[in-house]
Amino acid sequence: EIVLTQSPATLSLSPGERATLSCRASQSVSSYLAWYQQRPGQAPRLLIYDASDRATGIPARFSGSGSGTDFTLTISSLEPEDFAVYFCQHRSNWPRTFGQGTKLEIK
Amino acid sequence: QVQLVESGGGLVKPGGSLRLSCAASGFTFSDYYIDWVRQAPGKGLEWLSYISSSGSAIMYADSVKGRFTISRDNARNSLYLQMNSLRAEDTAIYYCASPSSESRYFAHWGRGTLVTVSS
């Protein structure tokens, strides 16, 4: 099973700042990695797929990069609605797994 | 627009059974594979099971293999999860999640249904 480790567990930033979230895989997942945002009481929302492609309707301030084992989600300038929990997930093989999440909180 | 609506959750005793349903609309259900994902209270996301568009291919997480059974009825645009031998650690919100024409990841999610396993 591929283990995805996200860091940091919690990130405290202010609106307007740049956020950088990391996801590291225990073995290569090529570019088969996605990022999701989950707000309290809501289902997850797909942000980025195949490491760097933005899903439909996702603002351009969200970007993804990386391949192999190291991936990054960047939010260029935080909006109030961006404070949420973010998960990475791979589809390289079975079982699909998720990272444990990074909570992005308002400083 | 795409809509996934889960139902069937509730309170069940340890060792009991429950059958979850997911009603799909707004897309050609029979063209897409679909999965179940759960989230324990205050915890992260756990992938549980996959079923191909025709139902011919099925995968499970080790944590539910042998206890849970995924199935689908393309004529009814519905997905199911039969859960047997339930344990306290199965307590979670259960989501059905599907890809889109754009992405092979979990592009669409239902709102989830809560399953509580407790005596």
Side-chain angles (χ1 to χ4, degrees):
Chain A
E1 169 176 319
I2 295 175
V3 176
L4 298 178
T5 302
Q6 292 186 241
S7 61
T10 303
L11 185 58
S12 299
L13 293 170
S14 300
E17 290 193 293
R18 181 184 187 90
T20 303
L21 287 67
S22 174
C23 177
R24 177 164 290 178
S26 58
Q27 65 189 75
S28 176
V29 298
S30 185
S31 294
Y32 298 127
L33 190 105
W35 291 93
Y36 300 85
Q37 176 194 67
Q38 188 177 33
R39 296 174 177 143
Q42 296 186 14
R45 176 174 71 144
L46 178 66
L47 300 175
I48 301 290
Y49 64 94
D50 287 342
S52 60
D53 291 334
R54 261 191 313 277
T56 298
I58 301 304
R61 65 181 181 273
F62 291 91
S63 63
S65 64
S67 67
T69 60
D70 289 298
F71 300 87
T72 300
L73 173 69
T74 301
I75 310 171
S76 59
S77 179
L78 286 165
E79 297 288 341
E81 62 268 27
D82 298 337
F83 292 92
V85 180
Y86 293 82
F87 295 95
C88 57
Q89 176 245 328
H90 82 87
R91 66 169 195 89
S92 174
N93 61 9
W94 302 100
R96 309 313 197 204
T97 56
F98 291 87
Q100 83 281 13
T102 289
K103 181 180 181 181
L104 181 54
E105 64 176 26
I106 299 177
K107 187 173 183 180
Chain B
Q1 72 281 18
V2 173
Q3 194 168 14
L4 299 171
V5 180
E6 302 91 342
S7 61
L11 176 63
V12 60
K13 289 181 168 52
S17 297
L18 214 52
R19 188 193 195 210
L20 305 184
S21 300
C22 170
S25 60
F27 66 107
T28 306
F29 182 70
S30 58
D31 283 352
Y32 293 91
Y33 59 85
I34 191 164
D35 298 59
W36 287 100
V37 177
R38 71 182 177 186
Q39 187 170 35
K43 302 297 185 183
L45 299 166
E46 180 186 13
W47 171 81
L48 294 181
S49 185
Y50 155 98
I51 187 166
S52 64
S53 57
S54 67
S56 61
I58 285 174
M59 301 296 292
Y60 295 102
D62 285 347
S63 59
V64 304
K65 197 175 296 181
R67 299 189 300 125
F68 290 11
T69 302
I70 192 171
S71 62
R72 66 189 294 161
D73 184 340
N74 285 344
R76 296 178 182 272
N77 290 340
S78 292
L79 171 73
Y80 306 101
L81 187 67
Q82 177 67 42
M83 304 188 296
N84 299 330
S85 304
L86 283 162
R87 308 164 179 166
E89 54 265 35
D90 294 319
T91 294
I93 296 173
Y94 286 71
Y95 297 100
C96 54
S98 72
S100 66
S101 56
E102 169 192 59
S103 164
R104 296 174 64 83
Y105 296 83
F106 303 128
H108 303 294
W109 297 70
R111 291 188 174 184
T113 187
L114 176 62
V115 172
T116 302
V117 184
S118 174
S119 55

